[in-house]
Amino acid sequence: MKDSVTATDDGLTITLADKLTFEDHTNFRDLLRLIENKEHKNCRFDLHGLQTIDSAGLGMLMIAFETAEKAGVNFQIYKPGGQVKQLLDISEFDKVMTIVS
Amino acid sequence: MNELRHTTPHPSENVLSNETSSILDADILIVDDSALIRELIGAFLQSAGYTNLRFAKDGQNALDLIAESKPDLVILDLEMPIMDGFQVCKNLRAQPETKNLPILIQSGRDTATDLTKAFNFGATDMVLKPVKKYEILARIKVHLENQILVKKLTAYHTRVASELEQARRLQLDICPTKDELKNYLANYNLDFGWHYEPSSEIGGDIGGLFPIDKNKIAFYIADFSGHGVAAALNTFRLQSWLASAKDLYKYPDKLLSELNNFLHENLASGSYATMLFFCLDIKKGELIYSAAGSQPPLIHYPDTSDEFELLSSKGMPLGLRCGWEYKAAKIDFKQNTRMMIYSDALIEVKNPEGNFIGDEGMRTEVSQTWEKQTSHEKTISKLVENFRERVGDEEPDDLTIICLENLNEYSN
């Protein structure tokens, strides 16, 4: 997983690229802390550069959403593509969270 | 529920502990034609606490003693009558049981040629005569510790491999046998084909069949997230839950809703299962199913085109959201309607052009493979063969393929 974080007045943008898999759970935990500390009202996961995601990665996105939900932070998934979009689609994540295509 | 729970794996402490105390019990064979040197080395070892020493006066004598019982380490002279040390090395390395036995050469021959020859013949290490006490003790300690560590790791590995194999068999037991499938054909006129192949490290795939009454039968396919033992244990958890939920088999949507809550409570945060649960009413020729994010089933209605169609399998994976309500869909499933359900491993492989097969690729492949006159077995064998070619040398994930054709006749 390659990740970068930008924080502006609009909120937090976490950009993930390459792959999101089981191996990334430690790094992902650090990203969750940024959501938990409630410094930002909005959190966007920019997935336009994410090529693949495995079952553990999908679980992590749900955990990120639930972390935001608990912290009262608006959560958004932004421009998922390819296999990532397909998996989010078949798993009906759009019924739970905002997914901007 | 919003933290990542993962434990860091660490080797069992038993595997790595207590090497030092146990090396003093090691069986050490000292081989030299000089009684004086045998005694000298023996005395060095005894002074360091080694208690289990044997002695041989030439190469043949050494091989005889090793054949009686394999030592943990051999200290070997090179120049000896009857059989020299080079020959002993060669003989020991040629036999599987002594292939890895540590051999510490002690010799007065110190030319580059001698050293090279000794190592070529299989020596593990070498000390030069005159033997210095602390040098030989230090080297013996290193080789014995390595030896004991390797033995323990090998034993540990063998035990874990055997336990995994037992677990694989337990998973295989859950699948219907060929005889059971024949019974379904005889009793329900339903022709099932079933292929289940857990990966060598076992995994999260599972499927099963539940007869409800003479007109109804339920079946399912599920896949737990993650790999290995944890995912496999969850398959057993699922099977136990399903065995106690017989009343829900006729209502796939209710079944998934309740199962979702059970798994949400019991799985680690972020873990989940994808699933398709079906209830087939033979009398009506109707199939009711509910989906939780599985691979889309492939269906072929008779008297339509030759192509299979993809059914929707959209649904929140089980265990992620508490209280989620699952929906049921009803489709016609009359005479000669065919369906195939399968795990994601089948499509998450690449074709020779380097592209993933995907849902659409599999739909085309099944349409071409499962023609009207083709049996399930042939279809499944062909799909498995294609899969293996695509996987190549990589360790494949669990693979499940279930085919079904309804052979019952219906008036109008």
Side-chain angles (χ1 to χ4, degrees), chain B residues 214-226:
Chain B
K214 66 183 174 56
N215 291 319
K216 290 196 181 81
I217 189 163
F219 53 98
Y220 75 95
I221 185 170
D223 184 5
F224 279 86
S225 62

Side-chain angles (χ1 to χ4, degrees), chain B residues 274-286:
Chain B
T274 60
M275 191 171 189
L276 284 163
F277 196 95
F278 300 86
C279 176
L280 176 57
D281 187 326
I282 296 153
K283 204 172 170 187
K284 293 183 184 165
E286 266 178 13

Side-chain angles (χ1 to χ4, degrees), chain B residues 3-224:
Chain B
E3 60 178 290
L4 283 166
R5 272 196 279 151
H6 289 290
T7 50
T8 309
H10 55 85
S12 159
E13 284 177 12
N14 290 335
V15 179
L16 301 173
S17 62
N18 296 327
E19 293 88 24
T20 311
S21 60
S22 58
I23 66 168
L24 295 176
D25 301 326
D27 178 358
I28 300 173
L29 178 64
I30 299 160
V31 192
D32 202 300
D33 57 331
S34 154
L36 188 68
I37 294 194
R38 290 199 300 272
E39 278 172 33
L40 178 71
I41 296 175
F44 287 165
L45 292 178
Q46 277 167 343
S47 74
Y50 291 94
T51 53
N52 197 1
L53 309 178
R54 290 189 286 161
F55 300 91
K57 61 184 188 311
D58 60 56
Q60 188 54 55
N61 186 201
L63 289 182
D64 293 344
L65 288 174
I66 292 168
E68 268 173 36
S69 113
K70 193 181 111 180
D72 296 306
L73 181 133
V74 180
I75 300 168
L76 184 66
D77 187 18
L78 285 178
E79 282 179 274
M80 291 180 292
I82 306 178
M83 184 190 286
D84 68 12
F86 294 115
Q87 194 56 43
V88 174
C89 278
K90 204 174 166 186
N91 282 16
L92 291 177
R93 291 307 181 231
Q95 294 169 43
E97 57 277 17
T98 51
K99 200 174 63 172
N100 298 314
L101 176 63
I103 304 173
L104 177 58
I105 301 287
Q106 45 99 15
S107 171
R109 295 170 67 156
D110 63 351
T111 66
T113 320
D114 290 330
L115 294 177
T116 309
K117 190 175 170 192
F119 284 116
N120 277 345
F121 276 59
T124 313
D125 199 357
M126 198 158 187
V127 289
L128 291 177
K129 283 177 177 171
V131 173
K132 290 164 273 305
K133 180 179 173 182
Y134 290 102
E135 183 185 12
I136 197 166
L137 287 178
R139 296 204 188 206
I140 287 170
K141 185 166 182 269
V142 166
H143 293 299
L144 285 176
E145 279 178 353
N146 281 348
Q147 176 78 349
I148 286 165
L149 204 61
V150 167
K151 263 191 199 169
K152 283 187 176 178
L153 284 172
T154 308
Y156 180 73
H157 181 264
T158 310
R159 183 174 63 77
V160 171
S162 128
E163 285 176 9
L164 283 175
E165 184 52 34
Q166 286 176 42
R168 278 183 94 219
R169 289 199 187 146
L170 284 172
Q171 282 197 308
L172 285 167
D173 281 347
I174 294 173
C175 292
T177 61
K178 280 198 171 163
D179 285 344
E180 282 169 329
L181 294 180
K182 273 185 196 162
N183 285 341
Y184 293 120
L185 182 60
N187 299 333
Y188 292 93
N189 225 2
L190 294 175
D191 194 3
F192 276 102
W194 205 287
H195 178 86
Y196 175 55
E197 202 178 328
S199 71
S200 66
E201 292 190 336
I202 67 174
D205 261 27
I206 193 170
L209 262 169
F210 303 112
I212 300 171
D213 57 37
K214 66 183 174 56
N215 291 319
K216 290 196 181 81
I217 189 163
F219 53 98
Y220 75 95
I221 185 170
D223 184 5
F224 279 86

Side-chain angles (χ1 to χ4, degrees), chain A residues 22 25 28-29 32 36 54-55 58-60 62-63 65-67 69-70 86 89-93 95-96, chain B residues 1-4 6 225-226 264 269-270 272 293-296 313-317 320-321 324 348 359:
Chain A
F22 178 77
H25 74 260
F28 202 83
R29 203 169 0 213
L32 294 184
E36 268 167 343
D54 71 355
S55 57
L58 191 72
M60 288 183 228
M62 182 55 86
I63 291 172
F65 168 75
E66 289 185 337
T67 306
E69 197 179 32
K70 200 175 163 191
Q86 241 179 9
D89 191 34
I90 205 168
S91 306
E92 293 196 322
F93 272 33
K95 290 196 173 172
V96 178
Chain B
M1 288 299 290
N2 30 10
E3 60 178 290
L4 283 166
H6 289 290
S225 62
H264 184 261
S269 176
Y272 61 85
S294 261
Q295 284 307 310
S313 60
K314 280 187 183 180
M316 179 64 61
L320 282 181
R321 294 292 282 177
W324 197 257
E348 287 178 353
D359 301 338

